Amino acid sequence: MINRIPSMELAARVSDGNLRAIARLITRVEGGDAEVRSALAEIYKCTGRAHVVGITGVPGAGKSTLVTQLVHEFRASGRKVGVIAIDPSSPFSGGSILGDRIRMGELVSDPGVFIRSMATRGTLGGLARPALDAVDLLDAGGFDVILIETVGVGQDEVDIVRAAHTTVVVNAPGLGDDIQAIKAGVLEIADVHVVSKADRPDANKTIQELKGMLMMSLEPGESVWRVPVVPTSSEKHSGFDELMVAIDRHRKHLEQTDEIRERRRQIALTRVLKVSEGIVRDNFVRDSRSRTEDLLNKVTHREIDPYGAAVELLKNMKERIHDEY
Amino acid sequence: MINRIPSMELAARVSDGNLRAIARLITRVEGGDAEVRSALAEIYKCTGRAHVVGITGVPGAGKSTLVTQLVHEFRASGRKVGVIAIDPSSPFSGGSILGDRIRMGELVSDPGVFIRSMATRGTLGGLARPALDAVDLLDAGGFDVILIETVGVGQDEVDIVRAAHTTVVVNAPGLGDDIQAIKAGVLEIADVHVVSKADRPDANKTIQELKGMLMMSLEPGESVWRVPVVPTSSEKHSGFDELMVAIDRHRKHLEQTDEIRERRRQIALTRVLKVSEGIVRDNFVRDSRSRTEDLLNKVTHREIDPYGAAVELLKNMKERIHDEY
């Protein structure tokens, strides 16, 4: 690239809330750019202020419309809002409903809003690491609330949600006649439950089923936080203010009960593990080609089992870790 | 446990096709049992015969019904069939439609069928590793075809599918008025596309859209395999024989074009990476508590960034790797 601005210099602009600098660094993060690493380390020192909210739920639950509405609510409350969309079905990522695109339109022109979608396909090692680096950039950039939209199915998605302060699980009435939170296995990670499309006749059934399950899943000795079920309707434009209030209440709850400390520990654990996995993958892929191929050949020919090969790989990695880092 | 049979001994019974031995070893694998490791290494030597088929698609697409029907087809063709269900919405994993349970009923009593669901929740490091170990056990146990049913969203799910010889992506008409393969970001990993619930009036639209997209996504120089779109209907009991034929044809294609070699390399790569990630997670969690907590504390207090902490973690791990393995 011709006179490419060093990531360190961009990082300095991020702290001034420079949106273009944030966007460019996210692009470098997505590209697995090694040069951006030291910049991220600097950025990380300036993080910890934002309220990170994970929005999850199976495709078709209406997450994207909900996210758009939530952004409007938070903006109306005078806060800067960042959105990281890593849901392949999100209009932010392309697979879109026109209505959302239009609603988004207004948002894009608002300097208090930053919306970024991150590609899901072909990302070796998953999306958690770049997505959470992007969250850091928005946090350091002075965004008060950061919404991460993700499909709530799969280890990577669950890990991303584990890196949020507040997790909102979106359910829609009907969808396969089953609570999607169960389908996606994310019932118990919800801090706030939403039943979208609440204008639909079958919405109440879903709300009641959900409340019933939450009662059952309540275990003594656990957090005193009672997970609310918030009905929303983009048709009737209702419920989104209540949702924002519920999210803010949860943040307050964390701080007042000191649960925030455990939450922060969980976030740190998730992030360190995700980065570690990334380093392992990178090293293996970057490993002297012949050596990697030799190992894979042995595995395909049953001369070594995957576990033995993995141990070999991790041993090989040792030297490099000491040299490089 | 009182007089617990050593995993090595169970492994010997697996090669004799002992279903109870397979079931018990899978349970030990799920439990993260270290003692089972050497047994798995032995088992692995006896694998490579089975045709591993990944069945994926968003919740509600009708994967479970389809899997049940496919099992009947493969059985009718005289083959032994194993099923590993890691879709939280699968009836095999509980979240069930009665009809499936009943159809399953017959299957459970058939010694040529082995059905096992694997829990998705709270599995640190995801399901790919235990699921693929289970596939090895069925492979070594003499099962000709092994179906892995998984929700096609999320890195872990994609990785599991990467470890299959043939990937079937299930789409249902309607579901959110969008091709679910796109929503799930798995359009291009499909070797065979299914449009389930083909008896529905809107099925043809989905079939045509899908065929259109497959035409577009066809790149020159790529595999000559033309991805078929197979309509199925459990209502009309139609399409499942065609689906089996398509799956068999794909296996033949891999072998005749020698693509099987690249596919096997991909499978080996995925497995070794998954195991490596697992070892990293285990080590970190098992790491001398104070050391881990100290590291996490530094991360939460912004004294070190996740990347720096991960490098520390991996360095710590190195010694242990040399001691233990």
Side-chain angles (χ1 to χ4, degrees), chain A residues 228-292:
Chain A
V229 178
V230 182
T232 64
S233 164
S234 42
E235 286 299 313
K236 294 184 171 175
H237 255 284
S238 68
F240 301 104
D241 45 351
E242 289 83 351
L243 177 54
M244 178 178 71
V245 169
I247 290 168
D248 289 339
R249 267 186 48 239
H250 180 255
R251 172 64 182 254
K252 270 199 194 61
H253 165 80
L254 288 179
E255 278 155 359
Q256 284 164 0
T257 59
D258 214 24
E259 278 179 41
I260 191 78
R261 197 179 296 147
E262 173 50 29
R263 200 59 76 114
R264 291 204 173 109
R265 181 189 170 279
Q266 177 58 57
I267 291 170
L269 175 63
T270 302
R271 296 202 56 174
V272 174
L273 282 174
K274 278 290 157 184
V275 175
S276 306
E277 291 176 0
I279 293 176
V280 169
R281 282 187 177 232
D282 297 347
N283 269 277
F284 191 37
V285 173
R286 273 181 20 245
D287 199 348
S288 71
R289 184 114 186 111
S290 59
R291 206 203 238 156
T292 303

Side-chain angles (χ1 to χ4, degrees), chain A residues 287-321:
Chain A
D287 199 348
S288 71
R289 184 114 186 111
S290 59
R291 206 203 238 156
T292 303
E293 289 311 318
D294 176 53
L295 210 49
L296 293 182
N297 258 314
K298 282 185 176 158
V299 173
T300 50
H301 293 101
R302 271 63 188 175
E303 293 162 25
I304 186 171
D305 70 312
Y307 193 93
V311 170
E312 277 314 304
L313 152 66
L314 291 171
K315 283 179 181 171
N316 295 350
M317 209 178 63
K318 176 187 182 164
E319 298 73 39
R320 213 178 294 89
I321 287 250

Side-chain angles (χ1 to χ4, degrees), chain A residues 37 40-41 44-49 58-60 87-89 95-97 120-127 129 136 139 151-157 159 162 175-176 178 182-188 261 264-265 268-281 284-285 289 292-293 295-296 298-311 313-315 317-319 321-322 325, chain B residues 37 40-41 44-49 58-60 87-89 95-97 120-127 129 136 139 151 153-157 159 162 175-176 178 182-188 261 264-265 268-281 284-285 289 292-293 295-311 313-315 317-319 321-322 325:
Chain A
R37 231 182 260 149
L40 288 174
Y44 188 73
K45 294 176 187 163
C46 315
T47 58
R49 245 193 74 271
V58 298
D87 171 358
S89 71
S96 165
I97 309 137
T120 44
R121 275 166 276 171
T123 23
L124 185 66
L127 258 170
R129 186 178 165 190
D136 281 349
D139 189 341
V151 175
V153 188
Q155 181 65 27
D156 207 46
E157 281 58 27
D159 282 337
R162 280 219 189 90
L175 262 195
D178 236 332
I182 293 180
K183 287 192 165 186
V186 293
L187 183 73
E188 38 290 284
R261 197 179 296 147
R264 291 204 173 109
R265 181 189 170 279
L269 175 63
T270 302
R271 296 202 56 174
V272 174
L273 282 174
K274 278 290 157 184
V275 175
S276 306
E277 291 176 0
I279 293 176
V280 169
R281 282 187 177 232
F284 191 37
V285 173
R289 184 114 186 111
T292 303
E293 289 311 318
L295 210 49
L296 293 182
K298 282 185 176 158
V299 173
T300 50
H301 293 101
R302 271 63 188 175
E303 293 162 25
I304 186 171
D305 70 312
Y307 193 93
V311 170
L313 152 66
L314 291 171
K315 283 179 181 171
M317 209 178 63
K318 176 187 182 164
E319 298 73 39
I321 287 250
H322 278 288
Y325 312 109
Chain B
R37 230 182 262 148
L40 288 174
Y44 187 73
K45 294 177 188 163
C46 315
T47 59
R49 247 196 69 273
V58 299
D87 171 358
S89 71
S96 164
I97 310 137
T120 44
R121 274 168 275 171
T123 21
L124 185 66
L127 259 171
R129 187 179 164 189
D136 282 348
D139 189 342
V151 175
V153 188
Q155 182 63 30
D156 206 44
E157 281 58 27
D159 283 338
R162 281 219 187 89
L175 262 198
D178 236 333
I182 292 179
K183 289 191 165 187
V186 293
L187 182 72
E188 37 290 284
R261 197 178 295 147
R264 290 202 174 110
R265 182 189 170 278
L269 176 64
T270 302
R271 296 202 58 175
V272 174
L273 283 173
K274 278 291 159 185
V275 175
S276 306
E277 291 176 1
I279 293 176
V280 169
R281 283 186 177 235
F284 192 36
V285 173
R289 185 115 184 109
T292 303
E293 290 310 320
L295 211 49
L296 294 182
N297 258 312
K298 283 186 177 155
V299 172
T300 52
H301 293 100
R302 271 64 189 173
E303 293 161 25
I304 186 170
D305 70 310
Y307 193 92
V311 171
L313 152 67
L314 290 171
K315 283 179 182 171
M317 201 180 68
K318 289 292 146 284
E319 294 73 44
I321 288 250
H322 278 290
Y325 312 110

Side-chain angles (χ1 to χ4, degrees), chain A residues 21-39:
Chain A
I22 293 173
R24 291 170 78 167
L25 283 173
I26 292 179
T27 305
R28 292 183 188 183
V29 163
E30 281 184 308
D33 212 322
E35 182 257 1
V36 80
R37 231 182 260 149
S38 44

Side-chain angles (χ1 to χ4, degrees), chain B residues 6 12 47 58 67 115 129 161 286-287 302:
Chain B
T47 59
V58 299
V67 166
I115 296 171
R129 187 179 164 189
V161 165
R286 275 182 17 244
D287 200 348
R302 271 64 189 173

